[in-house]
Amino acid sequence: MSIKPPPRILSIAGSDSSGGAGIQADLKTIAMLGGYGMTAITAATAQNTVGVQAITPLSGSFVRQQIDSCVEDIGVDAIKIGMLHDRDIIEHVAAALDSLPQKVPVVLDPVMIATSGAPLIAPDAMAAIEDLLFERATLVTPNLPELEHMAERELRDSGLMERAAGELARTYGVHVLAKGGHTDTQQVIDMLVAPDGKALQYSHRRLDTRHTHGTGCTLSAAIATLLGHGQPLEHAITLARSFVYRAIEAAPGFGAGSGPLGHQAVRGS
C-alpha cells in the first residue's frame, strides 16, 4: 500500500537565532503538522526574547537561488513568506513566485517588527511588499500594528479592523486575515475578509502570558502547511489558530522577555 507523501512547504523568511520565530518556528510548525519543510533564508538575526541585537540580510539573488533549488528538485505544495528585509529581496521573491504554477497557495505574513517592538525591515520594504507581493498571495496575515501602518490610521475596534482589511482585500484581490492579538480585549478576534467583502470572524479567549514570541510566524506557517494538505482556507485558519493556542499554552517558559511557544508539545492538527 502506497503512503501519501507529506506536503512540501517552503518558508521564505529570516532566521531567529534564539529559535522562537522566523525559519526556526516555521520548521517546527511544519513538522508538527505533518509537512516537509524547506527554507529560503532572507536574513540572519542575532535575536532573543528581549529584542533583536543585529540583522544581516542576504542578497536577493541568493534568496532566489535558494527558492529555485528547492522548487526545481523537491517541488512545492505551499509557500509561507515571512520577513523580507529590503526591496532587492522582495523583487527577487516576486520574480520567483511568477515562475510557479498559479495553484500553489502563498501565505504572506507582512513582517515589519518583532514581538519585542524591534524593526525588522528597511523603511521602503513595506511599500514594496504591498506593490509586488500582495496580488501574488493567497492570504495576507497582518497584525494590528501592520494593518494600521498600511491603512495609515488607528484601528481600535473590530469594525475598523474589518473595514481596513476589506480595503486591502479589494485593492489587491487577496484574502486578508487581520489579527487582533495586539488589542486589549479579553477575546482575541481575528477577521478574515475576502476580495468580495465577505467577512468571517474567529475568536478565542486571551491567554494571560508573556510567552508569545513567534505567534505570527507560527500561525502563517501552520496555515500554509494545512493548505498544502488540501484544507480549504477557512478551515485551515481554524485549525492553525487552534495549533497556535495550544502551543502558547505549552510554552516552556524560556527567556526573560517574550518567550517562545511550545511547538513540540502540540500533536497533530
Side-chain angles (χ1 to χ4, degrees):
M1 183 177 66
S2 61
I3 299 175
K4 183 179 179 181
R8 302 157 295 181
I9 314 300
L10 173 61
S11 171
I12 306 171
S15 167
D16 174 0
S17 58
S18 68
I23 288 288
Q24 287 83 347
D26 292 350
L27 287 176
K28 294 171 189 176
T29 299
I30 293 165
M32 294 309 298
L33 291 174
Y36 177 81
M38 302 175 288
T39 65
I41 298 174
T42 61
T45 69
Q47 183 178 170
N48 54 33
T49 67
V50 297
V52 178
Q53 291 76 47
I55 301 175
T56 299
L58 300 177
S59 70
S61 60
F62 183 61
V63 173
R64 173 68 190 270
Q65 286 180 317
Q66 293 177 79
I67 296 169
D68 291 345
S69 292
C70 295
V71 172
E72 292 171 3
D73 181 36
I74 304 296
V76 64
D77 297 302
I79 292 174
K80 174 262 168 79
I81 299 176
M83 187 183 83
L84 304 176
H85 181 269
D86 52 50
R87 190 175 186 93
D88 176 48
I89 294 172
I90 293 163
E91 289 176 348
H92 279 85
V93 169
L97 295 182
D98 283 342
S99 68
L100 297 176
Q102 289 187 348
K103 66 179 182 178
V104 176
V106 176
V107 179
L108 171 59
D109 184 15
V111 175
M112 295 171 58
I113 56 175
T115 301
S116 62
L120 292 173
I121 62 175
D124 65 341
M126 193 63 228
I129 290 173
E130 287 189 58
D131 294 341
L132 299 177
L133 295 180
F134 274 24
E135 290 183 345
R136 293 170 166 88
T138 306
L139 176 70
V140 178
T141 63
N143 62 28
L144 184 58
E146 291 157 354
L147 187 61
E148 288 182 331
H149 177 87
M150 290 181 279
E152 299 182 332
R153 60 184 185 272
E154 288 190 348
L155 307 169
R156 294 309 177 192
D157 60 56
S158 58
L160 293 174
M161 282 177 53
E162 181 180 338
R163 190 176 309 162
E167 291 170 2
L168 287 178
R170 287 191 300 274
T171 299
Y172 296 104
V174 64
H175 284 76
V176 177
L177 180 66
K179 300 177 294 188
H182 285 77
T183 62
D184 296 325
T185 60
Q186 291 299 309
Q187 291 285 316
V188 175
I189 299 174
D190 299 339
M191 304 294 302
L192 174 65
V193 184
D196 63 4
K198 178 184 175 184
L200 179 64
Q201 179 175 299
Y202 301 84
S203 66
H204 61 71
R205 70 177 179 87
R206 186 179 299 276
L207 292 169
D208 183 15
T209 178
R210 64 180 173 85
H211 299 292
T212 58
H213 183 55
T215 50
C217 304
T218 299
L219 178 66
S220 53
I223 295 170
T225 305
L226 292 159
L227 291 175
H229 276 293
Q231 294 286 349
L233 178 60
E234 293 180 1
H235 190 51
I237 293 171
T238 297
L239 295 176
R241 291 180 82 258
S242 175
F243 178 87
V244 173
Y245 189 90
R246 289 180 286 156
I248 295 173
E249 286 185 312
F254 298 152
S258 178
L261 311 188
H263 299 85
Q264 294 91 331
V266 184
R267 299 292 175 184
S269 61

